[in-house]
Structure formats: structure tokens, C-alpha cells
Amino acid sequence: MNESLPIYQSYIDGAFAAGDNLIEVFNPANGQLLGSVPETSLSDVERAIAAARAAQKGWARKPANERAGYLHRIASKVRDNAERLARIITAEQGKVLGLALVEVNFTADYLDYMAEWGRRLEGEILTSDRPGENIFVFRKPLGVIAGILPWNFPFFLIARKLAPALITGNTIVIKPSEETPINCFEFARLLAETDLPKGVVNIVSGRGATVGSALSSHSGVDMVNFTGSVATGSRIMAAAAGNITKLNLELGGKAPAIVLADADLGLAVSAITASRVINTGQVCNCAERVYVQRKVADQFIDQVSAAMAATRYGDPLAEDNLDMGPLINQAGLDKVAQMVKTAVNDGAQVITGGSVADRSGQGFHYQPTVLAGCQQAMEIMRHEIFGPVLPIQIIDDLDEGIALANDCEFGLTSSIYTKDLSSAMRACNELDFGETYINRENFEAMQGFHAGVRKSGIGGADGKHGVYEFTHTHVVYLQI
Ligand code: NAD
């Protein structure tokens, strides 16, 4: 490999450790080699878990507000390096620079937000049935967390695992996706510049079947906190079963967007288009299927197709003013292309796009695509696409929209566009999802709770409920 390209090292017990086996990382927009990271050896994974274990009690003994100080200092390091980190994220993941910068700044804000929980963590005091007795409910850290990350918001996901883990007194071993590990090791470099006690955060890297599986099946891990696909979530459950390890799983989505005839159509078009274009459609909570009421269907399809067709895409580090970059890899591109082909064979009509983009073989680009005439039974309406493709089905009324939306193995997010309060309230009450967005784009707030039902996961992240996922209760009955 090119001598001048960086070779990253695992970050274990406050020190960097070289690996014998390396994984090369490429830019998905143009195939350029960016650097390499270790396939962390299983003995180093052991060392990382042991270091996290050794550091945990001392870390938990610090006042929570002192732990918060570390998070604030890490946040300010992230902010100081925002532009550089954004370029690294864009290079290895492919999102446009503006979005990468949003991701970095949101990550810093998230670290600060979670730090504020230092003064808000609460237990309970319960009344007892017995005279003179006090019952206390303590919230205690779980111990050692394994944070296993996906590639689509790789930098933010570091903070989504690390910040609530640390503020509640846990230590952590993080494994980034093998597609996007560089930003995580750049984060490790920033950590190493702070006074964070050694062993509190450890970063290993490598493939899921080796390093991910070693973390998930390890008896020294108290919770596996995973974001990624359903298939991997299921494998992690099986690996964790031997030790009955607690799991927090943030898995896939197939978010429905219901557009009723009384909707602000301009708003629906722009929010749903953005939802398919942002991060090239590779977002777990963004609209993956549209149910539009018949009366406005033609108008909606015309407008959304024009908006999708106007989407500018390309290599985000080489071209300006782009709306989206490439898909993450060849497998992602092949999957999207195959799903569109199958949908067309099953009777869907391509209104715009419909093909792999012609970019002289450079990068994994797919055309922004709108498919009309879709039906619920089609694969494209049931499976996660994770690409810039919008399948549309016509519905007669809200009853049909809600029934079709709920008829899905995923249950992460959903949205509805309507000006009618009773329709909006019916959606609140009858959509079986972890989140519903009414008349706005799909993007969660850090003070909310990002969690899915059905195969979209177990547990959730963010806000008060997300913080307490990293604790267990300890009930004490006191008689003096
Ligand atoms: P993935 O499941 O392929 O990989 C995620 C991580 O799991 C990687 O770090 C990988 O190395 C690791 N892994 C793979 N096999 C493993 C195993 N056997 N044991 C332990 N770890 C293993 O997912 P991806 O392709 O990186 O991410 C895309 C998926 O993530 C999509 O389905 C998307 O919907 C989902 N996602 C969900 C959320 C959410 O909040 N619900 C957020 C982002 C992404």
C-alpha cells in the first residue's frame, strides 16, 4: 500500500496498539484507497474488555458531574476539529460535506447534552409496608458496554453509545464498521489528547464475524449496544444468549409516509424527497414507502419525480453543490439495482431514474428513482431499500393507509402529512411504530427516544429513557 497513507491502530487501555492484519478502507465515490485499520486480534479484544473492566469501578466512583466534564472536553475537541472530521467522514462514507458537518456538530452537541444528565440521574424512594423501613431504588451502571456501530452515521453513533455509557458510570469497547473505521480512530486520537482515564474508552476494529462476534459472546461484556441490520442483530442475540448478556438493538426500518388529500403537498414533496436523498437514502428512519391518497396521487407523483430528477449527485469531495453522494459499496449498489429490477418485473413503473448511474465506472452511484404503481405485496414495499429509491402506492383513505403502514416486519419510524387534526390523532393512536413524524421530515431529536417495535429492535437511544438503558436498578430495603 501507499507508504504515505495512514495506518491506524487499536486504542486499548489508553494506548495505541498496532495490528498484524490490516483492512484497507476505500472512498466509495471514486475507489481511492484512504488508509488501513487493524483487524484487531482476539487477544487484543480480550485486553480491551479487561481494560474496560479494570477501569469501570474507579470511573463509576467519580461524581457524575466530574464524568460530565470529560464529555464536555471531548465535545469541544470534536468542535475544534469539525471541518477535518467532516472531510474524513465524507471520504470514507460518501455523504455530502454539508451533512458530514451536521453529523460532527450534532455529535458534539450530543456529548454536551448527555453530559448534562450528570446532574439529573435519579433513583427513587418508595413507601414500605413495614414500620420504620425505607426502600431505595438505586440506578447503577451495567459495567462494560460493547458498542458495535454501522457505517451510515458512523461518527454520531460513537457518541450515541459512548456518551450515555460514560455519564452513567460504565466503560466501553467500541467497534466501528469495517466500512467506516477511520473517523472512529481519528476520534480515538482526540480522546488520547484529553485526560480521560485509561481503559474508560477502548476502540477495536475488524469484521463482524470475528471481532464483533468476540465482543457479543464475551462474558466480560454487560451489554451489547448494537446498531445495524436485522440479520446481524439476530446473530448478536444468539452470540449473547450463552451469557444472557443484556442487549440494546437498533435495527432496520421501512418507514411509511402517508400523504392524505388535505396535506400541504409542497411540504410533503420536499420532506419525502429529502428523506430519500439525505445520505443517499441510507438512513434507518427515512421514508422508504409512500401511501398517497388517490385524489392527489398524480399531482404528488409529478412533483416528487421532478424533485428527485433534479437531485445533483456525484463525488462529494470533487464536486460542489451536490445533494447526495454514492452508496456505501458494490453490495449496496447491487442490492438497490436488483430491488428496482424486481419491482419493475412485478409491475411497478419507473417515473424517473431506475438505473445505476453512468459515471464511467467511478463509485457506487444510483440514479434518484421514483417507482409508481407499487403494491403492498412487492418486495420493494416490504424490504429495506437503503438507497435513493421511492416506491409509491395509491390508497383510498386513511384506514387503508394505516393498515398498510402497520403491515410490516419493521416498526421504527412512520410519517403522515395532513392538515386535519382528527387524522393526525388517529395516526398517533393507530400507527404501531416507535416514532411518528407529522407534517415534518424524519429526523429524531436527541431528547426524544429513538426506538423501534417488531424487528426494528429492542430498547432504544436518546433522552431520559436512552440514558437509563445503560443502568440497572438496585433496590435496597433498609431497617435500622
Ligand atoms: P450490519 O449489520 O451489516 O453491520 C453493523 C455492524 O455489525 C458492523 O460493525 C459489523 O462489523 C458488525 N457485525 C456484522 N456481523 C456481526 C456479528 N456476527 N456479530 C457482531 N457484529 C457483527 O449493518 P450496516 O450495513 O453497517 O448498517 C446498515 C443497517 O443499520 C441498516 O439495516 C439500517 O437500517 C441499520 N441502522 C439502524 C439504525 C437505528 O437507529 N435503528 C441506525 C443506523 C442504521
Side-chain angles (χ1 to χ4, degrees):
M1 83 176 277
N2 184 332
E3 292 296 318
S4 64
L5 290 176
I7 301 175
Y8 292 89
Q9 301 185 343
S10 307
Y11 184 61
I12 301 171
D13 206 15
F16 288 97
D20 293 335
N21 297 316
L22 296 177
I23 298 178
E24 294 182 326
V25 183
F26 297 90
N27 181 331
N30 56 27
Q32 190 196 339
L33 181 60
L34 299 170
S36 60
V37 302
E39 166 84 32
T40 305
S41 66
L42 294 185
S43 60
D44 271 356
V45 173
E46 289 285 343
R47 277 205 314 119
I49 295 169
R53 174 67 58 202
Q56 195 266 322
K57 288 280 184 268
W59 176 248
R61 268 197 297 272
K62 287 184 189 294
N65 199 45
E66 200 176 309
R67 294 197 296 270
Y70 292 98
L71 292 183
H72 285 309
R73 290 195 283 285
I74 298 168
S76 77
K77 285 260 167 213
V78 167
R79 272 194 200 94
D80 291 347
N81 288 273
E83 295 280 343
R84 190 176 65 80
L85 291 166
R87 291 188 77 79
I88 288 167
I89 294 168
T90 291
E92 66 177 334
Q93 196 268 320
K95 60 170 57 84
V96 293
L97 261 177
L99 181 60
L101 203 52
V102 169
E103 180 173 351
V104 174
N105 286 320
F106 193 80
T107 302
D109 291 351
Y110 196 89
L111 288 159
D112 281 337
Y113 166 74
M114 280 295 166
E116 292 302 320
W117 277 97
R119 287 203 179 94
R120 295 189 171 85
L121 299 169
E122 293 177 349
E124 294 165 35
I125 303 172
L126 308 180
T127 55
S128 172
D129 297 346
R130 299 189 182 184
E133 181 170 85
N134 286 289
I135 305 177
F136 301 106
V137 182
F138 290 89
R139 287 275 178 182
K140 301 256 176 100
L142 295 168
V144 174
I145 309 299
I148 302 181
L149 314 184
W151 46 261
N152 62 343
F153 287 93
F155 196 70
F156 167 57
L157 265 294
I158 300 170
R160 207 181 224 173
K161 312 293 185 204
L162 174 151
L166 265 50
I167 199 62
T168 47
N170 300 279
T171 55
I172 192 164
V173 180
I174 293 175
K175 188 196 94 62
S177 165
E178 52 274 48
E179 301 287 349
T180 53
I182 290 181
N183 67 86
C184 196
F185 285 115
E186 289 289 342
F187 180 83
R189 286 179 171 178
L190 297 181
L191 283 182
E193 292 170 12
T194 70
D195 54 350
L196 189 72
K198 64 183 188 145
V200 170
V201 177
N202 306 273
I203 298 176
V204 298
S205 66
R207 298 196 167 76
T210 50
V211 178
S213 164
L215 288 170
S216 313
S217 58
H218 201 288
S219 61
V221 167
D222 298 293
M223 174 166 76
V224 182
N225 193 304
F226 167 74
T227 302
S229 63
V230 171
T232 304
S234 171
R235 276 184 214 113
I236 287 175
M237 283 184 92
N243 297 309
I244 321 286
T245 306
K246 181 173 174 168
L247 296 173
N248 179 294
L249 305 176
E250 301 283 320
L251 308 179
K254 184 70 188 169
I258 301 174
V259 181
L260 295 183
D262 66 4
D264 174 338
L265 221 52
L267 169 72
V269 166
S270 66
I272 292 171
T273 304
S275 200
R276 284 292 70 197
V277 167
I278 186 172
N279 210 18
T280 321
Q282 302 165 118
V283 187
C284 60
N285 67 2
C286 280
E288 277 253 340
R289 51 191 168 123
V290 171
Y291 301 105
V292 59
Q293 204 166 358
R294 192 174 300 282
K295 207 167 141 198
V296 292
D298 288 346
Q299 217 182 331
F300 175 80
I301 291 167
D302 283 353
Q303 289 182 22
V304 88
S305 303
M308 288 290 277
T311 299
R312 292 154 303 185
Y313 58 90
D315 178 344
L317 288 181
E319 298 160 62
D320 291 330
N321 297 320
L322 295 181
D323 302 308
M324 69 178 199
L327 291 162
I328 187 68
N329 54 24
Q330 186 68 49
L333 182 65
D334 290 347
K335 179 185 159 201
V336 171
Q338 186 53 50
M339 285 185 83
V340 170
K341 209 182 241 181
T342 304
V344 170
N345 284 342
D346 290 346
Q349 298 110 45
V350 175
I351 309 297
T352 187
S355 305
V356 172
D358 181 10
R359 307 251 321 157
S360 318
Q362 286 273 301
F364 309 115
H365 301 274
Y366 197 84
Q367 295 174 338
T369 296
V370 174
L371 298 174
C374 294
Q375 295 299 326
Q376 185 76 354
M378 291 179 181
E379 177 200 41
I380 201 108
M381 295 299 280
R382 308 194 74 84
H383 293 178
E384 195 178 42
I385 307 167
F386 241 49
V389 176
L390 187 67
I392 302 174
Q393 176 167 352
I394 294 174
I395 52 168
D396 285 319
D397 53 26
L398 179 59
D399 286 341
E400 189 182 6
I402 289 176
L404 293 174
N406 287 340
D407 170 30
C408 181
E409 65 177 353
F410 298 101
L412 191 57
T413 77
S414 51
S415 62
I416 180 164
Y417 296 85
T418 178
K419 287 184 189 150
D420 177 52
L421 184 58
S422 62
S423 299
M425 282 313 298
R426 277 203 53 208
C428 291
N429 291 322
E430 295 177 31
L431 283 172
D432 295 329
F433 287 81
E435 283 164 34
T436 297
Y437 301 94
I438 302 180
N439 297 321
R440 61 158 278 191
E441 83 286 5
N442 301 20
F443 190 71
E444 69 268 27
M446 61 183 80
Q447 64 272 39
F449 187 52
H450 182 57
V453 297
R454 298 188 287 279
K455 285 189 183 169
S456 288
I458 297 174
D462 310 337
K464 175 173 78 176
H465 304 293
V467 169
Y468 287 126
E469 295 267 315
F470 287 79
T471 65
H472 71 86
T473 52
H474 181 184
V475 183
V476 176
Y477 301 83
L478 173 71
Q479 296 191 4
I480 295 286

